[in-house]
Amino acid sequence: MMMNRDVAVLQGAFLLADKLCLPSSLSSLEKADWSRVGHVVLEAVREICGEDVTAAVSWIKKLVCAVWLKVLCRETGEDIETAWRENPFFSLQNGLPDVNHVVLLEVVRSMPAAQIFAQFLFCLPQSRICTELERLVQHVRSSPTREDDIRLFLEVWWELWKGRDEQEEGGEASMETMFARQFARLLSESPSLSPQAAKRFKLEASDPPVRSPTADVLHILLHALKDIKDHITTTDLCLQALSISLDALHTAFLIDQTVVLPTKEKMHILSKEVSIREKKNEKVSPELIQEAQRDLRACHTPSQFQPSRMKLEEALKIITEVSQFWQNSGLLEVNDSSSYSAFKLEQSVQRVLAALQKAKAPETMTEMDDQETAKNKLRGLLESLVFPATESLAGVNAIVTATIISHRLEDYRDFAVLFVSEQSFAACDELWVNCLENNQAAFQQHDTLIKLTSTFMSKLHSESPNVSQCRKLLKVTADIFSALSLEDKNKALAAMLRLSSRGFFGRSVPSAVAGGFEQELNMAFNCIIQGRGGASAATSQGNLNTAVSLVARVAFQNPEAALRSCCHSAIFNKGAFSLMAEILQQLPGLRGQRDRKDEAQSNDDESREAEEGVDGGKDALSGSALLCRCLQEMIKTKSLSANEKEQLLKYLGLLMTPVMTVDGEEERRQSFLTRQEVVNIFVLPNLSTTAKSCFDIELSLQLLHAALSVEVHEPALSPHWVLDCSPFPLLYVLAQLLNQTLRCWEQPLDSTVHHWSMDTKELLVSVLTTLGQVVGAEVGAAPSSWSRALFWLHNKMEGLDWTICFHLKPIWGEHFKNEVPSSLLTVCDLPEQEWSGLDLPQYGQGTGLLAWMECCSASDSLQSIMLSRLSLDQRRPDHVNMFSKGLLVALTQTLPWCSVPQWTRLLRVLRELITSSRLHVPFSLEYVDYLPLLDLRRFSCDLRLSVLLLRVLQLLCGSSCSHWLPSDGWAHTGRLYAHAVRDIMNSVRAKLLLPSSGALTVPASASPQTPVPRDSSPSHTSVKAPKMSKELQQAKGSPLKSKDCQMEEEEEEEEEVETVPSQEVLFVLSQLFCHVQHIQVMMPGGQCEPLFLSSLEILSHYEAIMAAFPHSSSPLESDNTRHFFSTITDNLENQEMKAVLQQKIAQLVSSAA
């Protein structure tokens, strides 16, 4: 109802105006008559719109659209039957009297509605635009030509040059779209108008206007300006006209692409404009700034109305002519510094003068001369103009920039970067902080954030910072960071590390700010540790993402504190090392920039740099070096438990493991810590052969082993990373340490050299071997480059044990012979081309087999050579006998100083020697009451090996050798013997095919391949698997069998008893038990726990075999065995061990009954 009333009011006003024209009408109204009738229409519009600006714009737009279409309908003679169906403006338009173009243009001038008129012009083809502009020019020139007419002309011109108003554009239902459709329809239906015009009609905003050779908008406008120049009689209009014409010249002729101004320059121009307009009592508003931005953009963007008829020379002449005319009239003299038109003209003059210097020259000399003359004239005239100085104030700059950001105006993100970069803006405390707090989304780019960070640091580290504002700014900055993507977060973290390794806390800050951060830091890590419980995969991934965000947030504020907390949690919270490593792997930005030289610097150098403060980024460390420093401090200041050391090793191992990361669009595998970083920082400074404290050395060796063991699923890099870690000095130090461990039991208690463990010896051998293989590959690739280092290392090895050189065999290659004691050459046939003898005092006559045993234990390849090159004439019994006795002595000398891998190799050697009959070990019957009627040939090797070890331990525990070893040495010897016992048990059980159950299950890996003795019976090489006993079958519910079937099964069982060597296995186990008990009694202290456990294991196997094979032992035999075992066990001194063993022995009852 309200809409119909408003329409009626408007229609009534036009009808009244039409009556006021009598005896004429609005369809033939003259320009001079509008003042007599137009006030009726204007009053009606004011009544309808009231104070609502938005409604006023909408109604004026409807009015202009309806009047314009009414004019066109009158020209085309529109069919009313068609109009009411297809014209959305029919209800308003049909009630209006006929009008002409004068009414239309006077309505546009009076409202004023130049911008609306220009927006409707954009809906027309360029040829039609030219037609309408010509009508406008004709209207302006017609009498009387008023100042408002000139202003309308200039405003329409400039609105056309600014282009379409993007905010005014809409979709299908927008007024401009409906106007364009009606205009096109009317043109297509009109027989008097060209049909081609309608075809060329463009409805889409993105479509460029169609050019016509005769349709030259700039030609029309400039010539119109020339014609009406004498009607422009005020300075303001004159300055405005010259400014617009210069900008039209600039955008149509002098630039061919958009000129991009620096944001700071834009800001100064906008601020000056706002300051001038404020003096005219215009309030600073987003609309005002937005309009100023449109003006600025139009001045630097090539015009869409490119000239087709007009040449540059002609345009220059027209502008020069009108400028000269106005200058002669005194209209270009400006004294008012608050003149907006003067400021706009000054900007236009500066742009044109700069562009004239770069303008392209015409093709012909004549044109060039004429154009240059025109340029010089205009240049001289423009340069003679004097403008008052205008300045942009810092406060206005800040207000304008904040308004652009707050209302998301054009280029607001660029202005956001400027806003956080300028210290002058930050001085406007309240405005600056409020804008940041209320518009965080505008600053959510990592480069903007880093500039904000630098500016905030300056405020935070000033002499008297505002604590409340600083706390608020710290939170805002952290919130902006938290909203970034993970990729941008990493970029921001890397940038923060370049600024300061302590972030915002690189210098002294107010205690309230620091305290707030400490609280946030503790809360973040408490949440992470408490929330890492078991959950589904999706929940776990969500928890990980949350943890990454929490750590990233605190790390951005203070990278060092966050990394220190990560390290503390990883080491001292059980199981947290993997989560902390995962978090850091998600934050590669915390690695910072890597530099090999920086990585190799000592911790002291890094500490000094970190203490120098923020200035110049002097305390900026790489994140990986920072993390290493945090770990170093923990290792030095806290005594770590074994579990904490293990967590530290696993933590660093995970950080050294490459994971897939995304760097922009590129995916690559990277580790948070490089292996050379870990080695250079944790290993090289701590390795020493004279260190009294072993903690750092042993931990460093484990770290070196971890670094060498990291799996990298990529092609090997060349050169290898180890070459960045002083490989040859490192090899020499490792060799020195290994040299100290070779005789670890011989070191006195008060020795300055550390008392090494066998575990450390194994680790050293592993590390030295692996490192030797790596370096050897590099040396082999370029031997000439490494010759000097190679000879240096070989010379250094002369002072160490001769066996160590074999671990570095890959490095020596063909450069050096294998140097061994001369005594070895007497028992081995080694080629002189590859082997040479050394005269070593400790290897005198008769020590050849000792050296041979040491070689056999060194490596598998060396063991193979020693076995194949052994000089022994097996045809001479005296040689074999002498060799066997010598080997017994050599084994006694070697055993206590073997590591487990070395001992395993020696056991293989002993088996090979026994099997090949080179080693003679007679089997005595000292633990046999009667001669067993059994076939023990297939167990010959196991029995002889057990006897040999018994003889070795008897010799070692004898009076002549018992003083060799300290208690730790005896304990290690017991562990080695227990290892050999398990090896023999596995070998024995492998010969007895047992049901897969319980203690009888033998893993394939635990059963070494034992060569068959030469005297073993071939009849026992294939053994049937034993069937389950009748009791077991009945327990499984097997059906009852006939008597014949049962007899057949009993016969099969008797056959199996004869075939399966269960009795032989029981006999061998009984001998092994006696040997173990014998040795445990002999060993000093008699409390060797590994031997006690071996005895229990033997008894368990014995019991299991008796249960699986009931006929293997009769009740009488079982009773004799229990009595015999108990008698042996009575010799033990330890009562608890004795009681446990005798209880176990009592369970050995035959089930044959």
Side-chain angles (χ1 to χ4, degrees):
M1 292 298 294
M2 182 63 68
M3 178 67 69
N4 293 335
R5 188 188 74 81
D6 293 340
V7 169
V9 169
L10 196 57
Q11 289 172 339
F14 269 91
L15 291 172
L16 179 59
D18 191 52
K19 288 182 180 180
L20 292 175
C21 293
L22 293 173
S24 181
S25 67
L26 289 179
S27 61
S28 58
L29 184 73
E30 296 292 332
K31 178 180 177 182
D33 296 331
W34 176 256
S35 58
R36 184 165 54 87
V37 301
H39 66 279
V40 179
V41 175
L42 298 181
E43 287 174 2
V45 172
R46 279 194 291 268
E47 179 185 344
I48 293 170
C49 298
E51 299 297 326
D52 189 345
V53 178
T54 305
V57 172
S58 176
W59 266 109
I60 292 172
K61 186 179 288 189
K62 289 178 185 177
L63 177 59
V64 172
C65 182
V67 172
W68 201 337
L69 290 175
K70 188 71 176 181
V71 172
L72 192 60
C73 287
R74 180 169 170 263
E75 291 179 359
T76 60
E78 182 189 26
D79 180 14
I80 194 169
E81 291 298 325
T82 305
W84 76 266
R85 289 194 305 268
E86 298 186 10
N87 187 355
F89 303 100
F90 180 79
S91 59
L92 172 61
Q93 181 183 323
N94 191 52
L96 299 178
D98 288 339
V99 295
N100 61 3
H101 274 90
V102 172
V103 175
L104 169 64
L105 295 174
E106 285 300 314
V107 167
V108 171
R109 180 190 64 79
S110 304
M111 290 304 167
Q115 182 179 2
I116 294 172
F117 182 73
Q119 293 302 316
F120 282 132
L121 280 177
F122 281 121
C123 299
L124 309 180
Q126 186 159 328
S127 58
R128 188 69 190 191
I129 292 175
C130 290
T131 302
E132 297 298 330
L133 286 177
E134 286 171 350
R135 285 175 173 169
L136 172 64
V137 170
Q138 183 181 357
H139 179 78
V140 171
R141 290 167 59 187
S142 63
S143 180
T145 301
R146 299 155 297 189
E147 185 176 323
D148 283 352
D149 295 327
I150 303 296
R151 198 175 301 280
L152 172 63
F153 168 74
L154 294 176
E155 286 177 358
V156 170
W157 184 353
W158 187 235
E159 287 297 331
L160 286 175
W161 242 250
K162 285 196 288 188
R164 292 178 183 269
D165 188 348
E166 295 175 359
Q167 289 191 337
E168 295 294 329
E169 292 180 16
E172 290 291 315
S174 72
M175 200 162 303
E176 287 82 358
T177 303
M178 291 187 288
F179 173 79
R181 286 177 176 168
Q182 293 308 308
F183 212 112
R185 182 179 61 82
L186 292 170
L187 289 179
S188 64
E189 293 175 356
S190 172
S192 60
L193 298 176
S194 169
Q196 297 302 319
K199 293 181 180 178
R200 293 197 303 267
F201 224 80
K202 300 296 179 180
L203 301 181
E204 297 297 329
S206 59
D207 291 340
V210 177
R211 294 184 185 177
S212 171
T214 59
D216 192 333
V217 173
L218 186 60
H219 181 274
I220 296 171
L221 295 173
L222 280 177
H223 279 279
L225 181 65
K226 177 181 175 182
D227 293 341
I228 62 174
K229 67 180 184 298
D230 52 345
H231 294 285
I232 301 177
T233 57
T234 65
T235 298
D236 187 67
L237 270 181
C238 177
L239 298 177
Q240 184 180 347
L242 183 54
S243 173
I244 292 173
S245 61
L246 287 174
D247 285 335
L249 173 72
H250 181 250
T251 57
F253 289 103
L254 302 181
I255 59 174
D256 54 8
Q257 60 183 1
T258 302
V259 178
V260 180
L261 292 179
T263 306
K264 193 168 186 178
E265 185 177 342
K266 286 184 187 177
M267 181 265 297
H268 283 302
I269 294 173
L270 294 173
S271 298
K272 289 177 182 179
E273 185 171 332
V274 167
S275 298
I276 292 171
R277 296 180 75 165
E278 268 190 313
K279 293 176 183 178
K280 300 293 184 181
N281 296 323
E282 290 190 61
K283 185 179 179 182
V284 180
S285 66
E287 293 76 20
L288 178 66
I289 296 174
Q290 186 177 30
E291 194 62 29
Q293 285 184 305
R294 283 191 67 205
D295 289 346
L296 191 60
R297 182 175 70 248
C299 297
H300 294 88
T301 305
S303 172
Q304 61 177 313
F305 301 107
Q306 291 296 310
S308 57
R309 296 170 59 189
M310 178 170 275
K311 302 295 183 183
L312 173 60
E313 180 187 349
E314 183 183 359
L316 290 172
K317 287 180 179 179
I318 292 175
I319 295 174
T320 303
E321 180 184 338
V322 296
S323 301
Q324 189 68 58
F325 175 79
W326 292 327
Q327 189 178 46
N328 294 338
S329 303
L331 296 175
L332 296 182
E333 294 179 3
V334 184
N335 297 318
D336 185 6
S337 61
S338 62
S339 171
Y340 176 66
S341 298
F343 170 73
K344 296 287 290 180
L345 177 58
E346 181 185 11
Q347 296 293 317
S348 302
V349 168
Q350 291 174 355
R351 284 189 289 269
V352 170
L353 287 175
L356 284 174
Q357 301 291 339
K358 305 174 184 177
K360 295 179 180 179
E363 297 179 357
T364 65
M365 291 298 296
T366 304
E367 289 181 349
M368 184 185 301
D369 293 340
D370 294 342
Q371 192 180 103
E372 197 61 34
T373 301
K375 284 182 184 178
N376 291 334
K377 284 183 180 181
L378 181 60
R379 186 183 294 115
L381 194 150
L382 295 179
E383 288 175 347
S384 66
L385 299 179
V386 179
F387 301 97
T390 55
E391 295 181 358
S392 60
L393 302 176
V396 178
N397 293 343
I399 291 171
V400 169
T401 307
T403 304
I404 292 173
I405 295 169
S406 300
H407 293 84
R408 303 295 191 271
L409 301 184
E410 183 180 338
D411 298 329
Y412 75 92
R413 291 196 183 277
D414 295 332
F415 279 91
V417 176
L418 179 67
F419 188 73
V420 297
S421 305
E422 293 290 320
Q423 293 290 343
S424 59
F425 291 172
C428 306
D429 289 336
E430 186 175 352
L431 172 68
W432 197 66
V433 174
N434 288 341
C435 182
L436 288 170
E437 188 174 19
N438 298 329
N439 301 282
Q440 294 183 20
F443 302 94
Q444 288 172 4
Q445 295 82 38
H446 73 275
D447 51 348
T448 309
L449 178 60
I450 292 306
K451 292 184 184 298
L452 169 61
T453 298
S454 300
T455 306
F456 174 43
M457 279 184 176
S458 300
K459 290 179 72 71
L460 182 62
H461 300 153
S462 60
E463 292 184 2
S464 54
N466 185 319
V467 176
S468 175
Q469 278 191 352
C470 286
R471 293 187 66 177
K472 185 182 291 186
L473 280 171
L474 183 61
K475 181 182 183 303
V476 168
T477 307
D479 288 344
I480 292 172
F481 172 83
S482 297
L484 298 178
S485 66
L486 184 58
E487 182 180 354
D488 282 346
K489 282 178 182 176
N490 280 306
K491 292 178 182 177
L493 288 171
M496 175 60 89
L497 274 173
R498 289 193 291 271
L499 288 174
S500 169
S501 61
R502 296 191 183 99
F504 296 113
F505 303 91
R507 282 183 172 183
S508 176
V509 299
S511 58
V513 179
F517 169 74
E518 286 296 329
Q519 185 177 2
E520 181 180 359
L521 179 69
N522 293 333
M523 188 178 300
F525 279 90
N526 286 338
C527 289
I528 293 170
I529 296 302
Q530 292 171 6
R532 64 186 177 92
S536 65
T539 305
S540 298
Q541 185 60 42
N543 291 343
L544 176 61
N545 294 338
T546 302
V548 170
S549 298
L550 289 173
V551 173
R553 180 185 174 99
V554 293
F556 179 72
Q557 299 173 68
N558 189 339
E560 183 175 332
L563 287 172
R564 184 175 284 110
S565 295
C566 280
C567 295
H568 187 277
S569 299
I571 296 174
F572 298 106
N573 287 285
K574 188 174 181 180
F577 65 90
S578 59
L579 175 60
M580 292 299 131
E582 278 187 280
I583 291 172
L584 291 182
Q585 286 165 341
Q586 294 281 319
L587 299 174
L590 276 176
R591 285 196 307 255
Q593 298 296 320
R594 281 177 172 158
D595 189 324
R596 288 182 175 182
K597 293 181 179 179
D598 291 341
E599 291 167 0
Q601 283 181 343
S602 68
N603 185 48
D604 294 336
D605 292 338
E606 294 168 356
S607 300
R608 283 198 300 272
E609 287 181 0
E611 292 167 1
E612 290 178 359
V614 177
D615 293 344
K618 291 182 179 179
D619 77 328
L621 294 171
S622 72
S624 51
L626 194 58
L627 182 134
C628 291
R629 189 179 71 181
C630 295
L631 288 173
Q632 277 185 312
E633 290 174 0
M634 289 185 186
I635 294 172
K636 289 180 178 179
T637 57
K638 296 187 178 182
S639 178
L640 302 185
S641 66
N643 182 61
E644 290 163 351
K645 285 197 295 181
E646 183 181 0
Q647 295 216 142
L648 170 62
L649 288 169
K650 291 179 178 178
Y651 179 53
L652 286 174
L654 289 173
L655 292 181
M656 287 188 288
T657 303
V659 296
M660 190 64 70
T661 59
V662 179
D663 188 2
E665 297 182 356
E666 180 184 0
E667 288 189 355
R668 54 181 176 174
R669 299 183 69 86
Q670 285 186 319
S671 59
F672 192 89
L673 291 177
T674 63
R675 289 165 286 178
Q676 55 265 43
E677 278 181 296
V678 173
V679 173
N680 283 324
I681 292 174
F682 292 102
V683 178
L684 297 185
N686 297 324
L687 287 184
S688 171
T689 57
T690 58
K692 294 183 180 179
S693 174
C694 71
F695 176 74
D696 284 343
I697 295 179
E698 291 184 350
L699 183 60
S700 297
L701 288 174
Q702 290 172 319
L703 286 172
L704 177 57
H705 183 265
L708 292 169
S709 304
V710 170
E711 292 186 9
V712 180
H713 302 287
E714 287 183 349
L717 297 177
S718 183
H720 196 278
W721 64 267
V722 164
L723 300 186
D724 292 330
C725 306
S726 306
F728 284 90
L730 176 58
L731 285 166
Y732 176 55
V733 173
L734 292 173
Q736 284 181 299
L737 294 174
L738 180 58
N739 188 65
Q740 292 180 2
T741 66
L742 293 180
R743 296 296 175 187
C744 50
W745 312 130
E746 298 178 6
Q747 297 169 6
L749 295 177
D750 59 347
S751 173
T752 57
V753 180
H754 172 63
H755 185 71
W756 299 101
S757 67
M758 275 295 169
D759 291 338
T760 305
K761 178 183 176 182
E762 290 182 29
L763 183 60
L764 272 167
V765 170
S766 175
V767 168
L768 192 61
T769 303
T770 305
L771 191 60
Q773 291 171 348
V774 171
V775 177
E778 295 293 329
V779 171
S784 58
S785 304
W786 299 99
S787 58
R788 185 174 178 182
L790 207 59
F791 280 92
W792 173 86
L793 180 61
H794 192 267
N795 290 337
K796 287 289 186 181
M797 300 299 289
E798 291 179 359
L800 306 180
D801 190 89
W802 62 275
T803 58
I804 297 176
C805 282
F806 286 107
H807 297 297
L808 302 180
K809 180 61 179 173
I811 298 178
W812 310 137
E814 303 299 327
H815 292 83
F816 304 100
K817 290 184 178 182
N818 298 314
E819 296 178 333
V820 294
S822 299
S823 59
L824 176 62
L825 301 179
T826 62
V827 299
C828 254
D829 183 17
L830 298 171
E832 295 181 359
Q833 297 83 358
E834 301 175 15
W835 300 78
S836 64
L838 294 173
D839 293 328
L840 301 176
Q842 64 270 36
Y843 289 88
Q845 187 176 3
T847 58
L849 283 179
L850 174 61
W852 186 83
M853 292 289 285
E854 290 178 341
C855 284
C856 288
S857 66
S859 69
D860 293 342
S861 59
L862 199 57
Q863 176 192 102
S864 178
I865 295 173
M866 292 297 107
L867 285 171
S868 63
R869 296 286 183 172
L870 181 63
S871 299
L872 178 64
D873 187 356
Q874 291 182 255
R875 294 171 298 180
R876 299 187 58 179
D878 56 330
H879 282 202
V880 174
N881 193 38
M882 185 64 68
F883 169 77
S884 301
K885 291 179 180 179
L887 192 73
L888 177 64
V889 175
L891 187 58
T892 305
Q893 294 175 285
T894 307
L895 169 61
W897 287 275
C898 281
S899 63
V900 173
Q902 290 175 320
W903 180 236
T904 302
R905 291 191 192 99
L906 286 184
L907 288 176
R908 287 204 301 267
V909 170
L910 295 176
R911 285 186 176 277
E912 173 62 27
L913 293 175
I914 293 173
T915 304
S916 61
S917 300
R918 285 182 280 184
L919 177 60
H920 176 60
V921 183
F923 183 77
S924 61
L925 298 177
E926 53 194 301
Y927 293 108
V928 180
D929 291 334
Y930 55 89
L931 182 64
L933 300 177
L934 301 171
D935 184 2
L936 299 174
R937 285 174 295 179
R938 76 177 72 179
F939 302 98
S940 171
C941 181
D942 301 309
L943 287 170
R944 289 174 180 176
L945 180 58
S946 180
V947 170
L948 176 63
L949 295 178
L950 174 63
R951 300 292 177 252
V952 169
L953 269 298
Q954 284 176 326
L955 184 58
L956 192 59
C957 296
S959 57
S960 60
C961 303
S962 58
H963 62 280
W964 280 7
L965 303 175
S967 57
D968 289 344
W970 283 113
H972 176 68
T973 302
R975 286 192 293 271
L976 292 182
Y977 178 67
H979 176 81
V981 171
R982 282 193 299 275
D983 180 71
I984 295 172
M985 277 194 293
N986 290 335
S987 173
V988 170
R989 292 173 60 248
K991 297 178 176 65
L992 180 64
L993 301 180
L994 300 173
S996 300
S997 62
L1000 299 177
T1001 302
V1002 183
S1005 60
S1007 303
Q1009 295 294 329
T1010 306
V1012 180
R1014 291 184 179 180
D1015 56 351
S1016 62
S1017 172
S1019 61
H1020 289 285
T1021 55
S1022 176
V1023 181
K1024 293 182 181 179
K1027 292 189 178 179
M1028 291 183 288
S1029 64
K1030 283 185 285 187
E1031 292 82 2
L1032 192 57
Q1033 289 180 355
Q1034 291 173 2
K1036 293 203 171 208
S1038 59
L1040 294 174
K1041 304 291 181 74
S1042 65
K1043 186 174 181 181
D1044 293 339
C1045 291
Q1046 290 179 4
M1047 291 178 63
E1048 289 178 4
E1049 287 182 358
E1050 288 176 1
E1051 290 175 359
E1052 288 179 2
E1053 288 176 3
E1054 290 176 1
E1055 181 181 352
E1056 288 170 4
V1057 170
E1058 294 175 358
T1059 305
V1060 177
S1062 55
Q1063 291 181 325
E1064 288 83 348
V1065 170
L1066 290 179
F1067 174 78
V1068 174
L1069 290 178
S1070 67
Q1071 293 299 298
L1072 192 58
F1073 176 79
C1074 295
H1075 294 167
V1076 173
Q1077 287 293 290
H1078 188 158
I1079 292 171
Q1080 186 173 359
V1081 171
M1082 285 191 303
M1083 290 188 71
Q1087 300 183 13
C1088 186
E1089 186 174 352
L1091 298 188
F1092 165 69
L1093 295 176
S1094 294
S1095 299
L1096 280 178
E1097 188 176 357
I1098 293 171
L1099 293 175
S1100 296
H1101 288 312
Y1102 199 101
E1103 182 182 9
I1105 293 171
M1106 289 179 64
F1109 302 95
H1111 296 283
S1112 61
S1113 178
S1114 65
L1116 178 60
E1117 289 171 337
S1118 298
D1119 186 64
N1120 291 336
T1121 299
R1122 290 196 300 275
H1123 175 73
F1124 182 57
F1125 283 178
S1126 298
T1127 304
I1128 296 294
T1129 308
D1130 285 339
N1131 295 318
L1132 286 178
E1133 295 181 5
N1134 188 296
Q1135 296 302 316
E1136 293 181 1
M1137 292 182 179
K1138 183 191 299 183
V1140 172
L1141 286 175
Q1142 289 185 344
Q1143 182 181 3
K1144 189 69 174 175
I1145 291 169
Q1147 298 173 1
L1148 302 179
V1149 179
S1150 173
S1151 57

